[in-house]
Structures are given as structure tokens and as C-alpha cells.
Amino acid sequence: MSQNEHAIPQVPQPDDAVVGKAAGAQMLATACAARDAFYATLGDVDADVLAPLVNPAFMGGPRWPSLRQAWRVIRRADTVIIASDGLSDPFEDDDDVFVPRGHLLEVCIEAPLSAFDGKDVAHSWLFDLIYQVSQNVADHGSIDLLVQRHGSVSMVLDVRDAPAGLEDEHGQVGVLLAQGASSIAPSFDTPYGEVLLLTVTALQPAELAFISEAADKAQSRRDLAAALAASPTGHLSVAQRPAVIPR
């Protein structure tokens, strides 16, 4: 048997992939700079990121594209945005091949200052919520395709210290992920292409039931997203608000 017969076949890589640690580090730095610049257009970004002391991937959790997991706190006049910071980092494989844009998206949640009850953002129920959404996105791997196909995605989560009245009969909180909030762009550009930005809205139990009980769940999510957008609170995650049920 010849030496060529023992050779491991090369897997084709995307045209924009790069090979090598140095090229990968440059790609990561460029991607982070583009994301930082976009987040700065949304409000005042805290200098420090929120990040776990021990990476959850080392304890059996989902692995993010470049391993690092972080979230940015963006402050506006009357609200706070918490946004994932790394789901769109370049993927790195064991052969030092780097592919840009990771999961092709980031996620964020926005809430009034009053929703934090004077707590530090990192210890709020809102951070726990966006943390769990981020991990679900990393674990699923193709949320971008679901959003492109159906317009929005919903999840149910076990949220730590969820406000009274927000949990359903199972003690869980429903959320809706959609693009195009009134004051948050649906995507941002990088030198490697577009990255989606999904806005997460915490649902009232009746809104979650509206989706769960619908025969056409994709349409029910689209209807609910439109109804929320037209409501007084819009995409904001507000625990104490009337449920918005499409008619």
C-alpha cells in the first residue's frame, strides 16, 4: 500500500477560513472589534465584561466558538441591555482552522432600570435569563436557521429568582427570540459578513400558553412578536405587565 493511500483526506474549508494560530488570533481580534463598535452604538458599554470564573464548557456545558464566554452590559438613559459577547467569534477546530462568525448571531435582552430592583446586573434574574438563552443557542448550533425559517423562536427556562407571576404552572419562564426590535438593529456588519442580533423578551404565562396551545406554533410566535412590538412596552422584558394576546 502506497504512502498516499495512508494519507488523511483533507476536508474542504470555507473560502473565508484561515489556518494557523496567528491568523486565527487576528480574525478573532477583528471580529471582536466590529462587535464592540456596534455595541457602542446602542449605549454606554461597561468596561468590564460579565464572565464566569470557570468556563462552563469545562464542566460539561456547551462550548462557544472560540471557547471564551462573556456578556456586555450596555446602559441607556432608562434601560439596560445585556448582550452575549462571543457566540459570533470564529470557530476553531483541532487543526487550527478558523471559520468566521461562529453561530452567526448574538442575543440580547433589554429591561427598564426598575427591573433590576437595585441589584447588580450580574446577580439579576435578567442576567440568568440571557445567560441560559446564550447557552441554549450555543448548544443547539442552528438557531439562526430557525429564525430565518420561522421568524422567531421561543424557549422555556428555569430562571433563578424569577419575579412573582412570571413563571408558568411548571415554574418556568417563557421567552421569545426575534429580530428587529424598535430601538435595536436586527444585525450588524463585520469584515466577514453579517451577524444577526436576536432580542429576547420575557413572556407572561398567558403568552407562553398562547404559543403552546396553538396548532401553528410558528405563526403564533409571529403573531405574538407583532403584538408585543405594538404594545406599550414593546420588546422590553418587564415582569409586571398585562399579557398581550393576539386576536
Side-chain angles (χ1 to χ4, degrees):
M1 188 176 290
S2 69
Q3 183 176 358
N4 288 339
E5 289 176 290
H6 287 291
I8 299 174
Q10 295 298 308
V11 178
Q13 299 296 335
D15 292 340
D16 50 4
V18 299
V19 180
K21 292 290 188 184
Q26 181 58 52
M27 176 180 281
L28 176 60
T30 301
C32 289
R35 189 169 56 237
D36 288 348
F38 169 71
Y39 281 166
T41 68
L42 300 179
D44 295 328
V45 183
D46 283 7
D48 296 327
V49 301
L50 302 181
L53 292 176
V54 178
N55 194 308
F58 297 148
M59 299 181 289
R63 188 187 191 280
W64 287 30
S66 69
L67 191 61
R68 61 178 291 274
Q69 300 186 12
W71 291 262
R72 304 307 302 251
V73 177
I74 306 168
R75 302 181 187 275
R76 291 176 154 179
D78 301 309
T79 63
V80 172
I81 297 172
I82 313 171
S84 62
D85 185 41
L87 291 172
S88 62
D89 281 355
F91 273 117
E92 176 185 1
D93 69 11
D94 294 335
D95 296 320
D96 292 340
V97 176
F98 294 79
V99 180
R101 296 190 295 154
H103 289 299
L104 307 177
L105 58 79
E106 298 286 349
V107 294
C108 71
I109 191 168
E110 183 174 13
L113 294 174
S114 58
F116 294 89
D117 295 325
K119 290 184 178 179
D120 180 73
V121 171
H123 298 101
S124 67
W125 67 273
L126 288 152
F127 176 65
D128 186 55
L129 190 153
I130 197 65
Y131 172 91
Q132 292 195 49
V133 169
S134 303
Q135 301 297 1
N136 273 275
V137 167
D139 188 51
H140 186 280
S142 299
I143 292 293
D144 62 303
L145 298 180
L146 293 181
V147 172
Q148 290 171 11
R149 183 180 306 150
H150 301 298
S152 59
V153 173
S154 57
M155 300 178 183
V156 289
L157 307 167
D158 295 305
V159 177
R160 185 185 67 243
D161 299 328
L166 197 60
E167 297 173 318
D168 67 4
E169 67 271 23
H170 305 296
Q172 295 181 306
V173 176
V175 296
L176 187 71
L177 288 70
Q179 276 185 284
S182 59
S183 60
I184 299 178
S187 63
F188 59 93
D189 292 326
T190 77
Y192 309 105
E194 182 183 67
V195 172
L196 307 183
L197 181 61
L198 304 185
T199 302
V200 178
T201 301
L203 300 178
Q204 296 297 308
E207 295 165 347
L208 178 60
F210 172 77
I211 296 173
S212 302
E213 297 167 4
D216 187 340
K217 290 180 171 49
Q219 186 60 52
S220 71
R221 286 191 291 265
R222 287 192 290 268
D223 292 342
L224 181 57
L228 286 168
S231 71
T233 54
H235 66 277
L236 297 181
S237 286
V238 180
Q240 304 297 327
R241 64 169 176 80
V244 177
I245 305 300
R247 300 300 179 188

